[in-house]
Amino acid sequence: MKKNKIQSLNKVKSRIRAKLRGTAERPRLSVFRSNENIYAQLIDDIEGKTILSSSTLDKDIKTIIKSGSNCDASKLVGESIAKKSLENKIDKVLFDRGGRLYHGRVKALAEAAREQGLQF
């Protein structure tokens, strides 16, 4: 019997999350990609709180982009989350790709965050 995509994605996601635990000093950069948008969060897993977030639905990014489902939009989200984190004196994070392949929009977000000075 063949598993569907959501079940296999959740299985990979749970394996990744079992190994990654974000702290206040080194939070987890979690990436969620939908068909229309991309979201990034810095999460402190010990306290269970989101420190920062950025997405293609943010006002400053939404006015610039034509569509939230391409690599250019992902680059803007990566730059935005990196700038916000560096303003809050967070320069090291753990990257959580959310079960997705490190390819396309997820890769574009990660590389843009690295170019802005975020280390992972």
Side-chain angles (χ1 to χ4, degrees), residues 28-95:
R28 177 169 53 99
L29 174 60
S30 177
V31 177
F32 174 73
R33 177 184 69 82
S34 70
N35 286 339
E36 296 183 8
N37 295 297
I38 192 159
Y39 309 84
Q41 298 181 57
L42 288 181
I43 302 170
D44 179 2
D45 288 317
I46 294 173
E47 292 194 24
K49 292 186 178 181
T50 298
I51 301 169
L52 297 169
S53 67
S54 183
S55 72
T56 51
L57 298 176
D58 290 350
K59 290 180 183 178
D60 55 341
I61 295 175
K62 195 171 185 175
T63 57
I64 299 171
I65 61 173
K66 190 173 185 179
S67 170
S69 61
N70 57 25
C71 286
D72 295 332
S74 297
K75 287 177 187 176
L76 290 174
V77 172
E79 291 171 2
S80 172
I81 196 78
K83 286 177 185 175
K84 287 179 182 179
S85 66
L86 292 174
E87 287 172 2
N88 287 325
K89 298 181 175 87
I90 299 170
D91 60 344
K92 293 184 179 182
V93 296
L94 299 170
F95 187 70

Side-chain angles (χ1 to χ4, degrees), residues 99-114:
R100 302 285 183 175
L101 293 177
Y102 187 78
H103 184 273
R105 292 192 281 159
V106 175
K107 183 178 178 181
L109 187 145
E111 289 179 352
R114 276 194 187 112

